[in-house]
Each structure stands twice: as structure tokens, then as C-alpha cells.
Amino acid sequence: MGEELKVIVFKLGSEEYGIEVEKVQTIERLMPITRVPKTYAFIKGVVNLRGVVIPVIDLRGRFGLPEAEYTDQTRIIIVSVNEMQVGFIVDSASDVIDLNSDSIDTPPEVVGGVKAKYLRGVAKIDDERLLVMLNLSEVLNKSEIIQLEGLEE
């Protein structure tokens, strides 16, 4: 029997994704983002969250999905990746669910246009619902992390 995971569910378009709760620091409404020149296009800039400067990434841009207008539902999920805080802009963050790690299957090559290397797996919630689990350490590769660390200073 696999371990029980608590997972935050968020959406990009019609697809549902999940991140383990212990990797999430906070979920914030969209706030002013200061653009930073000479960064990857999907790095939207930095935010000042309670005195901490945090780089912000648009996950749609990161995954090569079409951009969408930000709405009242748009959220920034602040996660901890490799000892660093990063904000992910998502269409909405809806839910916290319990998931058994046994229900996570290896990801197919591409899910909803997102390459498998960014994915930890796909979890079957019920007959109707699949949840794409993110592999946070792959969402940011080493050179991007070095560039983001430069933004924090």
C-alpha cells in the first residue's frame, strides 16, 4: 500500500494538475509583478511577498501552452524548489485532496501538450477525473534556477 499524499489541485486550461502540499508555501491572488529584463519569456518577473522577493513563472508559458488572460481566479502558487521559493501563475487553484501514491501512474510522453519530463505521473481520481502530478525539480532546470537565484538578490 502506497503512502497517502495531500495534493493541491490547480488548473491550466481544462487540465487539472497537482503539487504535494508540503512543497507549497502559500497560494496568493495575482499581485503586481515587476518585470525583469533578459530572462526567459515564461519568467514573468518578481513579486515582493511579505518582504521576500520571489521569482514568478507563468506555468502556461513554461509548458508551451497558449497564454490566457488573467482573471479573478488566477493564482500564484508559491512553492519551495531546491531550497528556493518560486511562484507559479496558474489559471485557478481549487482544491486539496488526499491521494494514494499507488494511484499515480508513469506519465505518457505528452499530456495536454506538456512534456513527460515535467511530470511525476498521472493519478486517477475517479472514473471521470485525471490529475497530472508535476515534477517540480524538472519544471525548473539548473540553468533556470541559477538565473532565478540571480533575481532574488
Side-chain angles (χ1 to χ4, degrees):
M1 179 96 183
E3 61 180 312
E4 282 294 315
L5 302 171
K6 280 209 176 304
V7 175
I8 293 195
V9 178
F10 65 90
K11 280 191 162 188
L12 294 176
S14 60
E15 301 287 331
E16 288 188 307
Y17 295 84
I19 300 176
E20 294 92 336
V21 165
E22 68 265 7
K23 294 186 173 145
V24 175
Q25 309 289 311
T26 177
I27 299 174
E28 302 288 333
R29 289 187 174 277
L30 204 56
M31 59 187 83
I33 298 172
T34 305
R35 188 84 185 116
V36 178
K38 297 184 181 160
T39 57
Y40 295 101
F42 59 83
I43 298 174
K44 291 300 176 192
V46 294
V47 294
N48 183 340
L49 184 66
R50 296 183 267 291
V52 179
V53 175
I54 298 174
V56 176
I57 289 174
D58 190 318
L59 273 188
R60 281 177 161 272
R62 179 64 182 114
F63 294 159
L65 301 172
E67 282 198 17
E69 291 287 318
Y70 296 147
T71 68
D72 288 345
Q73 299 300 310
T74 303
R75 295 290 180 265
I76 299 177
I77 300 178
I78 309 292
V79 298
S80 226
V81 183
N82 303 328
E83 316 268 318
M84 189 175 91
Q85 288 189 323
V86 179
F88 291 144
I89 298 175
V90 301
D91 294 350
S92 65
S94 53
D95 219 341
V96 176
I97 60 169
D98 291 316
L99 196 63
N100 190 304
S101 61
D102 286 346
S103 70
I104 301 173
D105 295 327
T106 20
E109 282 306 300
V110 173
V111 177
V114 178
K115 294 186 188 115
K117 73 175 185 174
Y118 301 133
L119 310 178
R120 174 176 163 193
V122 177
K124 189 174 180 185
I125 311 285
D126 55 40
D127 291 341
E128 303 285 310
R129 232 172 130 193
L130 290 177
L131 184 67
V132 180
M133 297 295 296
L134 289 190
N135 179 349
L136 289 184
S137 56
E138 282 298 327
V139 170
L140 299 175
N141 67 35
K142 297 237 185 321
S143 68
E144 292 160 357
I145 289 172
I146 290 165
Q147 188 174 15
L148 290 174
E149 284 171 341
L151 297 181
E152 287 186 318
E153 293 165 3

